[in-house]
């Protein structure tokens, strides 16, 4: 086997020498794509391979990808895969297993945060992707208010506990209520939520579910478990935060709308994607520079990430693998993180040079390690539609939370049966 792998490597090297190569990659227009783009001259210098990036918005990606994935030979050598699509792409058999390539090049995937490797790396024992960037969610909050002696004294007098970074869910809910009702700050709320259906509300509410100890399904049987006391309480918490303690209109806010409220200094807290943490310190986008920090959601927040993959329809899978090896090498992973990239490898969060630059890295690592995954199966996007619809009805139209979650459980079960995961 060793000789065979060596022969294969020689063929790869020979192929690079003989051909002028260009690989094509479809990517989303997000900051991490910009950081990848800045690495391309170094890749060209090392391998001689050109990279053409086709950058589109998220809404276009799935539509552009699928026809290329089902074709015998598509246009894209490398693709990036959102965790939403992992179940669909894996079941369709559109992705090349990477295990033999990893073994041949001595690449140990334990370098990745385990929760992320589990989400966008390994499927049913096969490595189909290498994690690209993460978008796990965390609790962002106002440090200046938390450290204000006036608020510390008033909060302790009312709730009998110290005002500090919350480590328990009820502690956080008490803080939301305090800063909405008792802090005496005009035009200020304790929380801002992204209540727009279906994706923003589904992603944000997941944090409430996990914080209350609820789960989407029984991991042994795939039986849905949302209409439980924990799930119902989580939905009541979410409804209260939007209706009682948040700004008007939050039930229809996208994450951009909600972030703008927090960044304008009009809310104490916002549960959001960790990639927004550095944006709070950008004076061009924020009026709370140096006043916002991020912490893990008590009980663990929602995980999220994208992965690199080589489709079976890739015109040049060998060059594609050379690119993935390069862009995910520890050296380049650190360079992308230094530019602001949302890292997935544990060593990046332990690098002292990066910690000196991003003082919140220890909290981010803890956030990623404690995060929980959303259900990943063939019909994840359809499930998000169902979940977002019912959550929104409970928040805006007065639908009973128990009834809403029973509806979700019923339709979730139908999708799982269709996928063969539930009998």
């Amino acid at each position: 086997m060793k000789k065979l792998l060596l022969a294969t490597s020689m063929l790869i090297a020979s192929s690079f020498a003989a051909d002028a190569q260009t690989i094509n990659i479809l990517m989303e227009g997000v900051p991490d794509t910009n950081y990848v783009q800045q690495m391309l001259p170094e890749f060209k210098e090392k391998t001689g391979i050109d990279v053409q990036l086709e950058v589109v918005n998220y809404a276009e990606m799935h539509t552009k990808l699928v026809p290329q994935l089902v074709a015998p030979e598509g246009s894209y050598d490398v693709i990036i895969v959102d965790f939403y699509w992992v179940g669909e792409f894996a079941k369709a058999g559109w992705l090349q297993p990477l295990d033999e390539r990893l073994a041949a090049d001595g690449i140990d995937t334990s370098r990745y945060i385990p929760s992320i490797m589990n989400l966008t790396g390994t499927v049913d024992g096969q490595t189909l992707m290498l994690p690209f960037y993460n978008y796990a969610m965390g609790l962002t909050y106002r440090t200046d208010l938390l450290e204000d002696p006036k608020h510390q004294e008033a909060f302790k007098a009312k709730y009998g506990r110290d005002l500090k970074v919350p480590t328990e869910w009820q502690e956080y809910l008490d803080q939301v209520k305090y800063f909405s009702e008792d802090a005496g700050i005009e035009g200020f709320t304790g929380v801002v939520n992204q209540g727009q259906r279906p994706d923003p509300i589904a992603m944000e509410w997941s944090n409430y579910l996990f914080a209350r100890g609820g789960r989407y399904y029984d991991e042994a049987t795939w039986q849905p478990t949302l209409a439980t006391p924990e799930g119902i309480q989580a939905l009541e918490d979410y409804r209260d935060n939007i209706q009682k303690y948040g700004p008007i209109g939050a039930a229809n806010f996208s994450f951009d709308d909600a972030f703008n409220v927090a960044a304008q200094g009009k809310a104490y807290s916002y549960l959001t994607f960790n990639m927004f943490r550095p944006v709070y310190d950008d004076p061009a986008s924020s009026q709370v520079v140096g006043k916002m920090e991020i912490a893990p959601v008590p009980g663990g927040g929602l995980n999220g990430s994208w992965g690199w993959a080589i489709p079976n329809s890739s015109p040049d899978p060998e060059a594609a693998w050379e690119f993935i090896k390069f862009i995910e090498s520890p050296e380049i992973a650190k360079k992308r993180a230094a530019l602001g990239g949302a890292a997935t490898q544990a060593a990046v969060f332990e690098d002292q040079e990066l910690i000196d630059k991003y003082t919140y890295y220890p909290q981010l690592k803890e956030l990623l390690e404690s995060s929980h995954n959303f259900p990943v199966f063939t019909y994840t996007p359809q499930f998000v539609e169902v979940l977002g619809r019912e959550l929104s009805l409970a928040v805006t139209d007065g639908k009973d939370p128990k009834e809403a979650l029973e509806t979700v459980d019923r339709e979730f079960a139908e999708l799982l049966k269709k996928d063969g995961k539930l009998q």
Side-chain angles (χ1 to χ4, degrees), residues 354-393:
L354 292 173
I355 293 174
D356 290 343
K357 183 173 184 177
Y358 304 120
T359 56
Y360 50 87
Y361 257 32
Q363 295 97 300
L364 268 189
K365 184 169 184 278
E366 183 183 351
L367 183 159
L368 293 171
E369 290 175 337
S370 64
S371 62
H372 302 281
N373 289 348
F374 196 79
V376 174
F377 65 120
T378 303
Y379 302 105
T380 296
Q382 291 85 345
F383 174 57
V384 171
E385 293 283 340
V386 171
L387 179 63
R389 182 195 68 215
E390 292 301 313
L391 295 175
S392 183
L393 288 173

Side-chain angles (χ1 to χ4, degrees), residues 162-193:
D162 291 333
L163 182 61
K164 60 177 182 56
V165 180
T167 54
E168 299 175 3
W169 185 242
Q170 188 57 52
E171 181 183 14
Y172 168 63
L173 295 179
D174 289 346
Q175 293 179 4
V176 167
K177 186 176 181 181
Y178 169 80
F179 281 110
S180 293
E181 296 182 339
D182 305 306
I185 307 172
E186 188 175 354
F188 193 77
T189 62
V191 63
V192 59
N193 293 88

Side-chain angles (χ1 to χ4, degrees), residues 136-416:
M137 300 185 79
L139 169 62
T140 61
Y141 61 94
R142 287 281 295 272
T143 56
D144 58 325
L145 299 178
L146 212 58
E147 296 165 358
D148 187 324
K150 178 184 69 177
H151 293 305
Q152 288 178 340
E153 183 178 350
F155 182 82
K156 187 160 189 175
K158 182 159 186 174
Y159 293 99
R161 66 167 90 208
D162 291 333
L163 182 61
K164 60 177 182 56
V165 180
T167 54
E168 299 175 3
W169 185 242
Q170 188 57 52
E171 181 183 14
Y172 168 63
L173 295 179
D174 289 346
Q175 293 179 4
V176 167
K177 186 176 181 181
Y178 169 80
F179 281 110
S180 293
E181 296 182 339
D182 305 306
I185 307 172
E186 188 175 354
F188 193 77
T189 62
V191 63
V192 59
N193 293 88
Q194 53 182 53
Q196 186 180 70
R197 69 160 81 171
D199 178 279
I201 190 171
M203 296 299 103
E204 186 175 51
W205 180 75
S206 298
N207 295 279
Y208 286 63
L209 175 69
F210 299 139
R212 280 294 183 186
R215 295 294 183 267
Y216 278 98
Y217 61 92
D218 184 318
E219 292 191 0
T221 64
W222 278 91
Q223 187 68 41
T225 57
L226 286 171
T228 58
E230 293 83 4
I232 294 166
Q233 184 61 61
L235 186 45
E236 291 174 350
D237 292 343
Y238 192 79
R239 183 186 59 190
D240 286 349
N241 273 4
I242 284 193
Q243 293 183 350
K244 297 180 181 178
Y245 308 125
I248 294 172
N252 293 307
F253 279 0
S254 67
F255 60 77
D256 283 332
D257 300 323
F259 175 78
N260 286 336
V261 171
Q264 290 168 11
K266 296 180 178 178
Y268 162 69
S269 64
Y270 173 35
L271 284 174
T272 189
F273 306 106
N274 73 83
M275 65 182 72
F276 280 126
R277 168 57 187 86
V279 188
Y280 282 125
D281 286 339
D282 179 2
S285 305
S286 170
Q287 297 178 36
V288 287
V289 174
K291 296 179 179 178
M292 294 294 285
E293 198 44 272
I294 191 166
V297 179
L302 178 69
N303 201 7
S305 63
W306 287 75
W308 299 103
I310 303 174
N312 283 325
S313 60
S314 171
D316 194 342
E318 308 303 341
W321 177 239
E322 288 300 309
F323 174 78
I324 293 175
K325 279 196 303 182
F326 166 82
I327 206 69
E328 283 301 321
S329 66
E331 177 191 1
I332 299 302
K334 179 179 176 180
K335 287 184 178 180
R336 290 194 285 124
L339 292 170
T344 58
Q345 298 186 25
V348 171
F349 295 100
E350 297 160 359
D351 186 286
Q352 192 57 53
E353 188 178 349
L354 292 173
I355 293 174
D356 290 343
K357 183 173 184 177
Y358 304 120
T359 56
Y360 50 87
Y361 257 32
Q363 295 97 300
L364 268 189
K365 184 169 184 278
E366 183 183 351
L367 183 159
L368 293 171
E369 290 175 337
S370 64
S371 62
H372 302 281
N373 289 348
F374 196 79
V376 174
F377 65 120
T378 303
Y379 302 105
T380 296
Q382 291 85 345
F383 174 57
V384 171
E385 293 283 340
V386 171
L387 179 63
R389 182 195 68 215
E390 292 301 313
L391 295 175
S392 183
L393 288 173
V395 170
T396 62
D397 285 1
K399 188 166 185 176
D400 177 69
K402 182 173 183 290
E403 183 184 346
L405 293 177
E406 286 174 343
T407 302
V408 177
D409 274 348
R410 189 165 53 251
E411 295 192 32
F412 185 20
E414 290 171 2
L415 291 170
L416 289 169

Side-chain angles (χ1 to χ4, degrees), residues 34-44 326-327 332 335-336 339:
N34 295 333
Y35 310 142
V36 168
Q37 200 156 20
Q38 294 180 52
M39 301 296 113
L40 299 185
E42 187 171 337
F43 179 64
K44 165 78 173 181
F326 166 82
I327 206 69
I332 299 302
K335 287 184 178 180
R336 290 194 285 124
L339 292 170

Side-chain angles (χ1 to χ4, degrees), residues 56-121:
V56 300
N57 64 44
Y58 183 82
E60 294 179 74
M61 288 197 72
H62 191 270
T63 303
K64 290 183 75 74
L65 273 174
V66 171
Q68 300 298 322
L69 295 173
V70 300
E73 183 172 297
S75 300
Y76 304 118
D77 300 281
V78 179
I79 62 172
I80 57 172
V81 182
D82 188 12
F83 83 83
Y84 272 34
W85 309 331
V86 169
E88 176 190 6
F89 287 17
K91 186 166 186 175
W94 289 335
L95 308 180
Q96 293 189 14
L98 302 178
D99 299 284
E100 289 190 10
R101 295 183 187 279
L102 288 164
D105 286 305
I107 297 173
D108 183 357
T109 57
S110 67
R111 69 171 66 158
Y112 293 97
I113 300 282
S115 64
I116 297 178
M117 189 65 197
N118 185 40
L119 186 63
T120 49

